[in-house]
Amino acid sequence: MNFELLWSWVKKGWIRTSRSSGRYHQIKSKDLKRFLENPPQRIKNRIAAIDKEKIEYLVGSLG
């Protein structure tokens, strides 16, 4: 996953963020995990193509 991809999902409202200071956003691991477990239907195949080990490294075990 790269920054641009995540930012596009944030702008679409698919992932929640919190502002840490000024213009910086933080994605909590629980919000990223929730999104990856139940992504929008139209990008489900894109999510499935991401290496599962990398996802589990970022957010822990997926359900």
Side-chain angles (χ1 to χ4, degrees), residues 6-39:
L6 284 174
W7 184 241
S8 70
W9 294 342
V10 168
K11 289 193 303 186
K12 291 177 182 176
W14 294 344
I15 300 177
R16 291 179 47 189
T17 64
S18 59
R19 288 193 177 226
S20 57
S21 64
R23 61 181 206 163
Y24 297 102
H25 293 261
Q26 291 181 333
I27 299 172
K28 294 182 180 178
S29 62
K30 67 178 185 169
D31 293 328
L32 183 58
K33 184 175 182 177
R34 184 180 319 129
F35 172 77
L36 293 172
E37 287 176 338
N38 190 23

